[in-house]
């Protein structure tokens, strides 16, 4: 049974829903159930009786990457990385990696990206703030964060991602027409590289549909897969998903261009405030291929084949308010 449970956790993505405190221990520790949402089975998954260290009690989870949560204390801006939400990690002694206190002026977090597991020597953690700040740190090596001013009034709410292929952090500009990149040794005085993005092809829509989309709020996400990038555009009205548009990176004689597609094959894309990632549907029974699983003001998935959005109902036992909703990729055993 234990091996079967480990196998399921190692092949499934999950959404973090928070914790349910069961007992307060002397010294400030708590025993709590970890609450996860399984999109394949559309049900709540509970990891029972996990110890929450006192250091994480008053800290806010501000992002997730590679299955690790990034936590920050509002009162002193201390930062910790933890495997608290990893169902395969120790229940009684979750790993915590302490980073230097943040010194960027902004205190509103946008999202987080990491180059690898924080256990690896070459790991770099990046935190994007709402506004014009990006901060980089190497766990266990840097004594302070490298604070970078991004171009003003350009990348305030951009979604950060890391490319293993290019070994760079990317921020798409509004409209997705430009990509700003930051290498792993970027200094405060350096200037980011800027790449113009060329798009080809768009969906065939009638005038009324284009007029509807023109009234939508729009966000861009960049996600890396085996052969390149997907650029995903989310269109919303009053926080209700209307349409996703996906553009696949293709190499041509003119260089790299982004081509509109409604077919990403067996892939599923997972989008939230955490770093976006892809999972093959065939690796997890119950996932819908050629779909985008998203978490924002609502939780659901979008079928690229039909163009239909699907909204999940809140599973029994889930919190009424989600304060830490981040997708986590399948865990390693």
């Amino acid at each position: 049974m234990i091996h079967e449970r480990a196998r399921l956790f190692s092949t499934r993505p999950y959404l973090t829903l928070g914790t349910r405190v069961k007992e307060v221990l002397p010294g400030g520790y708590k025993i709590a159930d970890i609450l996860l949402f399984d999109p394949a089975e559309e049900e709540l998954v509970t990891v029972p009786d996990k110890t929450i260290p006192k250091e994480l009690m008053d800290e806010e989870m501000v992002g997730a990457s590679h299955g690790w949560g990034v936590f920050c204390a509002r009162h002193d801006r201390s930062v910790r990385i933890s495997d608290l939400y990893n169902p395969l990690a120790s229940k009684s002694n979750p790993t915590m990696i302490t980073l230097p206190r943040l010194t960027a002026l902004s205190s509103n977090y946008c999202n987080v990206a990491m180059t690898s597991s924080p256990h690896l020597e070459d790991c770099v953690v990046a935190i994007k703030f709402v506004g014009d700040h990006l901060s980089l740190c190497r766990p266990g090596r840097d004594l302070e964060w490298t604070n970078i001013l991004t171009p003003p009034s350009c990348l305030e709410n951009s979604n950060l991602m890391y490319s293993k292929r290019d070994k760079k952090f990317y921020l798409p500009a509004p409209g997705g027409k430009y990509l700003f990149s930051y290498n792993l040794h970027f200094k405060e005085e350096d200037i980011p590289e800027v790449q113009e993005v060329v798009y080809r092809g768009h969906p065939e829509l009638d005038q009324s549909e284009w007029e509807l989309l023109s009234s939508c709020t729009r966000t861009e996400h960049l996600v890396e897969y085996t052969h390149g990038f997907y650029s995903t555009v989310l269109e919303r009205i009053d926080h209700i998903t209307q349409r996703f548009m996906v553009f696949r990176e293709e190499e041509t004689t003119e260089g790299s261009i982004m081509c509109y597609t409604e077919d990403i094959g067996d892939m599923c894309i997972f989008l939230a405030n955490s770093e976006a990632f892809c999972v093959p549907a065939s690796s997890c029974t119950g996932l819908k291929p050629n779909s985008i699983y998203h978490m924002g003001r609502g939780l659901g998935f979008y079928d690229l084949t039909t163009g239909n959005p699907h909204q999940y109902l809140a599973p029994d036992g889930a919190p009424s308010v989600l304060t830490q909703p981040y997708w986590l990729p399948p865990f390693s055993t």
Side-chain angles (χ1 to χ4, degrees):
M1 182 68 180
I2 294 176
H3 292 297
E4 175 67 13
R5 187 177 179 84
R7 184 191 66 79
L8 288 176
F9 282 131
S10 66
T11 58
R12 293 181 183 275
Y14 290 97
L15 183 77
T16 61
L17 299 181
T19 59
R20 183 190 297 124
V21 176
K22 300 170 69 176
E23 183 180 0
V24 179
L25 302 177
Y29 292 83
K30 292 182 181 179
I31 302 298
D33 293 339
I34 300 297
L35 306 179
L36 304 169
F37 176 71
D38 180 349
E41 298 294 334
E42 300 185 24
E43 65 182 14
L44 181 73
V45 175
T46 302
V47 182
D49 302 330
K50 198 150 189 178
T51 299
I52 302 180
K54 60 182 179 180
E55 292 85 353
L56 297 182
M57 289 301 174
D58 299 321
E59 298 198 353
E60 174 188 5
M61 188 173 175
V62 298
S65 181
H66 294 271
W68 293 78
V70 179
F71 299 81
C72 185
R74 288 286 183 182
H75 66 283
D76 66 359
R77 309 196 74 195
S78 58
V79 180
R80 290 177 177 85
I81 302 173
S82 177
D83 60 0
L84 179 68
Y85 281 94
N86 185 340
L88 302 179
S90 171
K91 280 189 174 184
S92 60
N93 189 27
T95 299
M96 286 196 304
I97 299 171
T98 301
L99 302 182
R101 284 187 173 91
L102 289 167
T103 55
L105 294 178
S106 176
S107 60
N108 295 316
Y109 311 101
C110 189
N111 67 334
V112 173
M114 296 195 297
T115 60
S116 61
S117 166
H119 281 313
L120 300 180
E121 184 179 352
D122 60 352
C123 175
V124 178
V125 180
I127 298 180
K128 173 67 176 67
F129 298 85
V130 175
D132 303 331
H133 289 88
L134 172 68
S135 295
L136 307 179
C137 181
R138 292 168 174 78
R141 297 170 61 189
D142 290 346
L143 299 180
E144 60 183 17
W145 291 82
T146 297
N147 296 318
I148 300 164
L149 278 174
T150 58
S153 304
C154 184
L155 303 171
E156 287 95 334
N157 297 295
S158 294
N159 292 287
L160 182 68
M161 68 86 66
Y162 174 70
S163 166
K164 291 182 179 180
R165 181 192 68 182
D166 300 340
K167 300 188 185 309
K168 295 178 181 178
F169 291 103
Y170 282 101
L171 286 168
K177 294 182 178 180
Y178 295 95
L179 280 180
F180 290 76
S181 61
Y182 299 81
N183 64 52
L184 303 186
H185 303 285
F186 200 90
K187 303 300 181 185
E188 294 179 21
E189 65 274 11
D190 292 344
I191 298 175
E193 296 180 21
V194 183
Q195 171 187 342
E196 185 175 5
V197 182
V198 179
Y199 292 89
R200 294 286 171 82
H202 279 83
E204 296 182 2
L205 305 175
D206 60 33
Q207 185 62 30
S208 62
E209 289 177 294
W210 282 117
E211 289 174 357
L212 175 65
L213 293 182
S214 68
S215 63
C216 290
T217 58
R218 168 183 172 134
T219 56
E220 292 82 19
H221 299 263
L222 196 65
V223 57
E224 191 170 46
Y225 71 110
T226 307
H227 304 294
F229 293 142
Y230 291 124
S231 177
T232 306
V233 180
L234 167 60
E235 306 275 5
R236 282 196 179 113
I237 294 179
D238 294 331
H239 310 299
I240 298 174
T241 299
Q242 299 293 322
R243 172 181 286 273
F244 280 93
M245 295 185 192
V246 177
F247 297 83
R248 188 201 317 262
E249 184 182 39
E250 295 185 7
E251 293 296 332
T252 71
T253 55
E254 304 172 41
S256 177
I257 61 174
M258 303 299 290
C259 297
Y260 175 75
T261 182
E262 296 176 355
D263 183 10
I264 59 174
D266 185 44
M267 284 295 181
C268 302
I269 297 175
F270 287 81
L271 303 179
N273 289 332
S274 49
E275 190 173 12
F277 59 87
C278 294
V279 173
S282 57
S283 69
C284 176
T285 302
L287 288 183
K288 309 290 193 285
N290 201 39
S291 293
I292 298 172
Y293 289 79
H294 57 93
M295 176 66 216
R297 292 298 180 95
L299 172 61
F301 70 92
Y302 182 89
D303 188 329
L304 287 170
T305 302
T306 63
N308 293 329
H310 300 265
Q311 200 78 5
Y312 286 122
L313 297 176
D316 293 338
S320 57
V321 177
L322 301 182
T323 58
Q324 301 174 345
Y326 299 101
W327 287 114
L328 303 175
F331 295 95
S332 299
T333 52

